[in-house]
Amino acid sequence: QLVSDGHADADRLAADLSAQVRAQGAAHIVAVGPGGSVAAMKAVSFAAQAMSSELAGKGMALAASPFSHMHTTESGKEVNAVILEISPQQKSPVPQAVDVTVTASTKIGSLGIYLARVFQDRGGAVIAAVGPMAVMNALTIAALASALLAKDLQEDEAKLTCAPAFTEIAGKEG
């Protein structure tokens, strides 16, 4: 199991992730804190690019575990972490419109319930997150929505997979 924290090198993590996917068909990353969440998302994107010829039309997707996880850092501090399962998945057409924008102050519970309803109604959604804390919140929201869907569908588990994508955002100067 790989660990991604605020000091993780996304390129190195992508190489380790690719090796695990090649060997085992899937990989797991513990994304520790906001910086670790961003590094993990970048690593998944980098790994998909590096393995594109091997994936044969598939993409790299991740599913966030609906179970909360506390991770103890080297300094002994306990921080929130999200456990991510990464595996090759069929590519889905990506809608262009953003359904939900997540921020650092987003109320996770309310948005998790909303996202579960969107998935039930439409089968997918586009989530935008700007900044490390927003990325961590978005992963937590996806995990919560997975748990709610599993409960509604009366299944042991429902996995919402996410395909990370990055875009440049133009900002105002001054």
Side-chain angles (χ1 to χ4, degrees):
Q1 174 160 289
L2 304 170
V3 176
S4 173
D5 62 14
H7 305 290
D9 177 345
D11 290 320
R12 171 67 191 209
L13 190 58
D16 293 344
L17 181 115
S18 297
Q20 280 194 10
V21 169
R22 284 183 186 107
Q24 302 167 10
H28 291 86
I29 297 177
V30 177
V32 180
S37 298
V38 171
M41 295 290 275
K42 285 181 180 178
V44 172
S45 182
F46 295 166
Q49 291 171 358
M51 294 180 65
S52 63
S53 62
E54 300 169 61
L55 293 174
K58 291 183 177 181
M60 212 53 103
L62 60 90
S65 170
F67 305 105
S68 64
H69 180 73
M70 294 301 287
H71 181 81
T72 305
T73 64
E74 290 176 7
S75 65
K77 181 180 176 185
E78 283 198 344
V79 294
N80 285 329
V82 180
I83 300 172
L84 307 172
E85 177 183 340
I86 296 93
S87 61
Q89 301 283 325
Q90 282 302 116
K91 287 185 179 180
S92 307
V94 179
Q96 297 301 313
V98 173
D99 296 299
V100 175
T101 300
V102 178
T103 67
S105 60
T106 295
K107 293 184 180 181
I108 292 170
S110 300
L111 203 49
I113 293 167
Y114 173 74
L115 188 60
R117 288 184 185 144
V118 170
F119 269 89
Q120 280 182 320
D121 293 344
R122 292 188 282 170
V126 175
I127 303 171
V130 179
M133 191 65 198
V135 170
M136 185 172 154
N137 285 349
L139 291 172
T140 304
I141 288 163
L144 175 59
S146 291
L148 292 170
L149 281 175
K151 184 178 176 185
D152 287 348
L153 299 172
Q154 297 180 352
E155 295 179 5
D156 292 337
E157 183 177 15
K159 284 187 184 174
L160 297 183
T161 57
C162 307
F166 294 88
T167 186
E168 294 291 322
I169 298 174
K172 293 181 180 179
E173 289 188 28

